[in-house]
Each structure stands twice: as C-alpha cells, then as structure tokens.
Amino acid sequence: MYMIRRGPVIRSPRSLSSSAPRRLFSTSTSPPRPRAKRPICTTILLTSTLSLGALTVGLYTDAKTCPSPPFKLTNHSSETGTSSSFLTLLRTYFVYGLISVPTLVDHAQDMLDVLYKVPLLGGVTEGVVRQTFFEHFVGGETVHEIYPLFPELRKDNKGVLLVYSVEVDENEAAGAERQGEEEAKDLGQPIHKRIVDEMIKSIDVAADFEDGLDSGAGGVIGRQTCVAVKLTALLPNVQALHNFSLHLTRTRPTLSPQVPFPGTPASSDLAVLDTPILEECPLTAENVRELKDLYDDLNRICTRAKERRVRVILDAEYSWYQPAIDAFGHALMEKYNRLPEQLGWMTRWMPRSNPAEKMQVQPLVYVTYQAYLRRTSAHLARSLTLSREQGYALGVKLVRGAYHPYELAAHPPTSISAVTNTHGSISISPDPYPPVHPSKADTDTCYNECAAVLVRAVADDLASPASPLRPPRVGVLFGTHNWLSCELVLEELVKNGLAREDSEGAEGGQKGTLIVPPEVADRVTFSQLYGMSDSLSNYLVGRTKSTTPCVIKYMPYGALREVMPYLSRRAIENKSVLGEGGAVRERKEAAREIWRRVFGGVGL
C-alpha cells in the first residue's frame, strides 16, 4: 500500500507570524489583490465631459439641419426670436426635445398620473413640469402674475388673448362631474362660479391695460387685449351641455343645403330652456336649470366686456358639446353684436353726445370655427347669411382644431344613430363617419378656403359707402401656426385692396412690408399660442405695419393642476395639428439660436 506523503510546509519570513501556513504546491486560489478605486471626481468629470459632448453634437446637428422659414423678410431682424433670453431658449429646446418623441407624448398623461401618486417623487415631478412645460406654455397662475407680459408683447406690437385655462379632462368629457365641485360647495362657492368671477376679473385687467395705453403718449391705439371663454368650465356638470347638444341635433330644422353634423345654430335654439320639457327630450330639469344659470353667467361676462370695451371669444370644444356652444354663441352675438342701425329707425338719426358710443368695440363676441370639421364651409356660409339677416356683426375665430385624435376615438366604428347609440360612445353624431376630416391635407384645404371667404367678406364690408360711419359687420381672428395659410391671408388682403406693399417692395424672393390701415387691422388679426410658433409671430409682425397689432398671442393662465388638460393637448397638438415635424422644427429653431449665441454661428 502506497502512502502519499505531504510536502514540507514552507513559511516565508513575511508570514512567519501568521497562524495559517502556506503550502508549496497548494491548489487553492490566492485572495485577489484590492484594485485601486477610481476617484469619484474623475468619474464625474468623465461623465460630464461625455454628456456635454453628446449634447453639443446633438445641438449642432439640430442647428445645422434647421429648415429655413418658408418666407423671409427684407428686414431679417424681425424673423428670429432674438428677444428671448438664453434660459428661455434652453427651456424651449428641452421641452420640444421631449415633445418630438411621439411615444412619450402618447403616454405622457398616464406616466404623470402614476408619478404624482408616488410619495416624494410626486413633488419632484410637479416641480419639473412647472419649470418646463408650465413655464413655456402658460403665462402664470394668476392674471396679475402675467400682467407684466402685456407691455413686453405690446412693445413688439403684439396683443394678448387671455384665457383662464380650466377645461374638462377626458373623464369629465365622458360625463363625470367636475373634480372638487362638491368640496367647493362646502366652502360656500362652487368652482364654476369662481371661474366666472375670474373671467370677469380678467376682463377688468385687460381693460385697465388698454385704458393705460389710450391715455399714454405714443401708445398703440388698438384694443387688442381680449378674453377667451370656455363654456365647459362654467358648469358644475358638463353632461348638461352634452344633453342639450343631443336635443339640438334631433330637433333643429333641416336646411337646404344641409349642414353636416354638428349642424349650424338657429335663433330658436334656446327656446327649449323656457318651455316645458317633453318626455322624449334628453334634457332633465336639473340640466335646464344649469343651462339657464350658464346663460345668466355668460350675460354677466359679456355685459362687463361691453362696458370695458374688451372682446370676448368663445372657444370651441368637443363636437358633442358644439351644438350647444353654437347656440349660446349665436344668442350672445345677436344680443351684444347688434349693429346700431338695427336698433330702430329713430336711433339712426339721433345725435350721439358720447363719442365712445360711436366707436364701440365690434364685434364684441366672437365664436370659434374649426376647419377640421366637415361642416365648416357650409356652417360659415350660413353664419354670414344669418348675421346679415338678423342685423348683427359676425365675430369669427378660425382655427384648425385641437381635438382631432379624441374625435376619431369617440366616434363609433359603424353607423349608429344618435337616438339608438348602444355602444356607450360619447359621440352624438348620427352620421356613419366621424365629424372631422380624415386627413390634415383636407383640413388645410378647408381652412384656406374659409380664410379667403372671410377676407372677401371684410372687403365687402369696407367697400360699403357708410363703412367709416358705422362699426364693422364682420371681424376675423385667424388662429393658425401654418406659414402658408398666414401668407395666403396676407395675399388675399392685398388682392382685395385691404393692404398694400410698402414702396420698397420685395426683392430676391423676399417679402416686403404690407401697410395695413387701422380699420383693417381692427377687423383682421392673426393669433398663435403662447410658447408656440414664435418665429411665425415675429414674421407676421415684421411683415405688417399698422398702428393696431395684427398679431395676438393666446395666453392661458391658472394653477398647475387646473391647466394639466390644456398642457396635455398642447403636447398632442404639437405632434399632430401643428403639422408633421412641427415639434422638431421648434426644437431645431431653438438649437440654431442657441448655437448662434454661444458659438457665433460657426459651422452653420
């Protein structure tokens, strides 16, 4: 039997004091040597350098590939937002960088809802949203907080369209009661009543600003600080508007030619509020009470606006509310836009001791026409005819529309009558297809056609021999971020004799300045949303020359949680309604301006 003898144990002098001997031929692995730790400051420096390099490369790529504006002015200084601060440009680049990611936009609201519910993280998320999206798209939380922006914009010959941006979210649009309404009742004043008071306050602030300009030397004469009103914000439960719209869709008389859904208003639309409710009527007694209260509040708002000479614009909303919104808008225009010569034959010859009475702001009330609705061309033609027949000034805010994805999602996939809708859809359209145009190209065509019609209507109004002695019969606010549509309107103004090219003219394909008389600027105005298409707004300011601002920025305000539905729609609008690549273009324009300021435009 063989025995295996152990090898001798060799102790190194270094380990003599150690209790664990080391064998000469041991197969056990030796403990790894401790690696030197990289200093934290070196890691941070390396990471920062790589991040800064990637950001610089991305910034340069965006700046280099930024498309040129469709049109250029002979005065290049008016084309870019050189007045924006550097921090504002950085915020713009960050905001539109996020909006450029379609997947992120589509799921933004769901992600925010989850993050808000996480302890500690919810506060951080709210802080980030406030410093980025809120600061960029919203003027502030209160009307007094945004007041300093008025003179800043007026220095650039821009007006302001104020809106207390409280609107229904998707749950409330489906018929749910407004969140917090019951709690507000316990505090003594319902939320919708507080909103009415806030809108009247915004009218007073707008009027105070304009009155200060009128009394000051060298101030702009035109009263281009207006107030927008959302009807869904003025009700405790928006279901009343939905039921009223359903009733109007069923009972309005058929016209020839027919106007597609959601139809067009008639003078008898509000009669149902003063008659007994029939059994088959979708309106309840509570709905009628709320709608009467709404009409009283709208009269309060418009009466104050008339006293302070501030225009009121009724915003359009979802198509299942639009018949009711149209009905109230028509009734308000018929009452507050009444032309003086229609007040009675004796009134025409009575001398007016008050000059301001002769120069009342008209139209006082504007309603919104959405070009993405298939009805808009016929609806606008009918409105022009009705206003002439009834003797009131027609106020038109023409937009493309901001609810296109929701309209497609809400409409049933098959033909369902509005009377027998069993699929649970909120849509009340009786048509087998959605009420909106299927493509943006169709919407663009409709918008441009309606714009041409409206400019011709303004030209006809001014061509009347008595036009200098009476207020306007039609006023138009073109709400658009589309360069081609804006240039089309300007060309129509020239073609119809409402504006003329400056004596310098345009050279080398560049656009010269258009001289716009005050009576035209009082009737025709452009509008872009605050925080969007500033390059287009600046182009229009440089393209037109008038004592009255021809450009207005739509400026919302309100608490962060109240304006979240608005911010959500702004993100979606930048992705769709603004046009293909709209958010990318905004991001690249900000990148180009940042690169010019930091590197002097080297490499562009």
Side-chain angles (χ1 to χ4, degrees):
M1 187 175 197
Y2 297 96
M3 300 284 295
I4 299 177
R5 305 180 70 181
R6 293 183 178 179
V9 176
I10 301 177
R11 299 178 182 272
S12 62
R14 187 175 172 181
S15 59
L16 288 176
S17 60
S18 174
S19 59
R22 182 183 178 188
R23 295 186 181 6
L24 182 63
F25 301 105
S26 174
T27 59
S28 63
T29 58
S30 59
R33 293 182 179 181
R35 299 179 63 182
K37 294 183 179 180
R38 189 183 302 276
I40 296 178
C41 60
T42 303
T43 304
I44 295 176
L45 180 61
L46 180 61
T47 304
S48 301
T49 303
L50 292 175
S51 300
L52 183 61
L55 178 61
T56 304
V57 171
L59 187 69
Y60 174 75
T61 303
D62 283 341
K64 182 70 174 178
T65 58
C66 179
S68 299
F71 306 102
K72 293 184 178 181
L73 297 172
T74 54
N75 180 13
H76 295 281
S77 62
S78 300
E79 294 182 29
T80 58
T82 55
S83 61
S84 300
S85 67
F86 187 71
L87 290 178
T88 300
L89 289 172
L90 291 176
R91 185 186 65 213
T92 302
Y93 187 69
F94 174 78
V95 168
Y96 281 105
L98 295 180
I99 296 178
S100 302
V101 183
T103 304
L104 185 62
V105 173
D106 293 337
H107 301 89
Q109 190 60 52
D110 295 334
M111 289 188 294
L112 288 175
D113 290 341
V114 173
L115 292 174
Y116 278 141
K117 296 176 182 178
V118 178
L120 300 180
L121 191 58
V124 175
T125 302
E126 182 171 327
V128 172
V129 173
R130 179 181 298 278
Q131 295 300 321
T132 54
F133 289 89
F134 182 85
E135 290 288 335
H136 191 78
F137 293 114
V138 182
E141 291 200 343
T142 67
V143 67
H144 295 290
E145 184 179 326
I146 68 176
Y147 186 86
L149 296 174
F150 298 176
E152 290 182 13
L153 289 170
R154 191 55 63 92
K155 287 179 183 177
D156 296 331
N157 205 23
K158 298 174 186 174
V160 175
L161 175 55
L162 283 173
V163 55
Y164 184 51
S165 192
V166 179
E167 56 186 81
V168 295
D169 58 19
E170 293 183 53
N171 294 327
E172 292 170 351
E177 188 173 10
R178 185 185 305 279
Q179 295 183 3
E181 189 73 34
E182 288 299 329
E183 292 82 349
K185 290 178 182 177
D186 296 337
L187 297 177
Q189 187 182 36
I191 289 180
H192 66 283
K193 291 297 183 181
R194 176 175 59 83
I195 295 173
V196 172
D197 294 339
E198 182 64 36
M199 289 181 176
I200 293 176
K201 182 195 299 183
S202 66
I203 290 172
D204 289 333
V205 172
D208 291 342
F209 173 71
E210 291 293 346
D211 291 344
L213 292 179
D214 289 343
S215 60
V220 179
I221 296 175
R223 299 179 70 85
Q224 294 287 40
T225 306
C226 316
V227 173
V229 175
K230 285 188 174 295
L231 266 66
T232 53
L234 307 183
L235 283 164
N237 192 334
V238 293
Q239 189 64 33
L241 274 185
H242 183 275
N243 292 345
F244 188 26
S245 295
L246 181 58
H247 167 76
L248 293 173
T249 302
R250 296 176 181 177
T251 59
R252 273 177 178 163
T254 303
L255 300 175
S256 181
Q258 186 175 1
V259 179
F261 176 83
T264 192
S267 298
S268 59
D269 280 349
L270 298 187
V272 68
L273 303 183
D274 296 317
T275 58
I277 302 176
L278 301 178
E279 184 176 352
E280 63 273 11
C281 180
L283 287 168
T284 65
E286 181 66 15
N287 292 157
V288 172
R289 186 193 66 77
E290 292 173 347
L291 293 171
K292 285 183 176 180
D293 195 39
L294 169 64
Y295 191 48
D296 291 340
D297 289 335
L298 289 172
N299 276 287
R300 282 182 57 205
I301 293 171
C302 292
T303 299
R304 189 59 174 164
K306 183 177 181 179
E307 294 170 352
R308 301 302 308 271
R309 296 192 298 161
V310 173
R311 289 183 173 90
V312 172
I313 287 86
L314 301 185
D315 278 344
E317 304 191 50
Y318 300 98
S319 64
W320 46 90
Y321 301 142
Q322 205 54 48
I325 294 174
D326 291 338
F328 284 111
H330 170 85
L332 294 172
M333 284 196 297
E334 195 172 35
K335 181 176 182 179
Y336 293 96
N337 294 2
R338 179 69 60 182
L339 296 171
E341 59 264 33
Q342 302 297 327
L343 296 177
W345 68 270
M346 292 184 60
T347 313
R348 307 180 195 179
W349 310 107
M350 292 175 59
R352 292 182 172 88
S353 58
N354 183 7
E357 184 181 354
K358 197 173 185 178
M359 299 298 294
Q360 280 290 341
V361 172
Q362 283 289 13
L364 182 76
V365 178
Y366 284 62
V367 295
T368 302
Y369 292 71
Q370 299 163 299
Y372 70 9
L373 291 175
R374 293 182 295 103
R375 69 150 183 180
T376 302
S377 296
H379 173 42
L380 179 60
R382 174 63 181 168
S383 298
L384 288 167
T385 302
L386 191 62
S387 65
R388 287 192 293 266
E389 292 176 351
Q390 299 294 331
Y392 61 85
L394 179 65
V396 176
K397 176 188 171 189
L398 182 64
V399 301
R400 278 172 167 78
Y403 301 93
H404 194 274
Y406 303 106
E407 295 288 351
L408 292 178
H411 192 79
T414 58
S415 176
I416 302 175
S417 170
V419 180
T420 60
N421 188 344
T422 58
H423 284 61
S425 171
I426 195 172
S427 175
I428 61 174
S429 173
D431 299 333
Y433 32 75
V436 294
H437 290 297
S439 68
K440 186 179 182 298
D442 294 332
T443 300
D444 291 340
T445 300
C446 178
Y447 189 97
N448 294 338
E449 290 176 351
C450 291
V453 169
L454 288 167
V455 173
R456 286 195 293 271
V458 172
D460 293 341
D461 181 31
L462 285 170
S464 172
S467 61
L469 303 177
R470 59 170 172 75
R473 291 177 178 269
V474 59
V476 189
L477 178 63
F478 292 105
T480 178
H481 302 93
N482 188 288
W483 285 73
L484 296 178
S485 294
C486 289
E487 191 59 34
L488 179 142
V489 172
L490 294 175
E491 292 174 356
E492 288 290 329
L493 291 177
V494 175
K495 184 167 64 175
N496 287 274
L498 300 177
R500 61 179 177 84
E501 291 277 359
D502 195 359
S503 57
E504 297 180 0
E507 299 177 358
Q510 296 176 341
K511 301 294 183 179
T513 303
L514 294 181
I515 307 298
V516 182
E519 63 270 18
V520 176
D522 193 47
R523 292 167 165 86
V524 178
T525 313
F526 297 92
S527 178
Q528 286 82 45
L529 296 170
Y530 181 74
M532 289 173 59
S533 299
D534 287 339
S535 58
L536 175 58
S537 299
N538 294 328
Y539 168 80
L540 292 171
V541 170
R543 184 84 161 91
T544 57
K545 183 178 181 181
S546 176
T547 55
T548 296
C550 294
V551 178
I552 289 178
K553 297 299 283 189
Y554 183 99
M555 183 180 294
Y557 72 95
L560 176 61
R561 292 300 180 98
E562 293 176 331
V563 301
M564 282 308 298
Y566 173 86
L567 292 176
S568 177
R569 284 200 302 110
R570 288 290 72 79
I572 294 174
E573 185 169 344
N574 273 280
K575 189 188 73 169
S576 57
V577 181
L578 186 59
E580 296 181 2
V584 175
R585 182 190 181 92
E586 296 270 359
R587 185 192 75 212
K588 291 184 175 182
E589 286 179 350
R592 180 175 58 186
E593 186 61 28
I594 292 172
W595 190 268
R596 284 176 176 172
R597 295 193 185 187
V598 176
F599 301 102
V602 176
L604 298 183

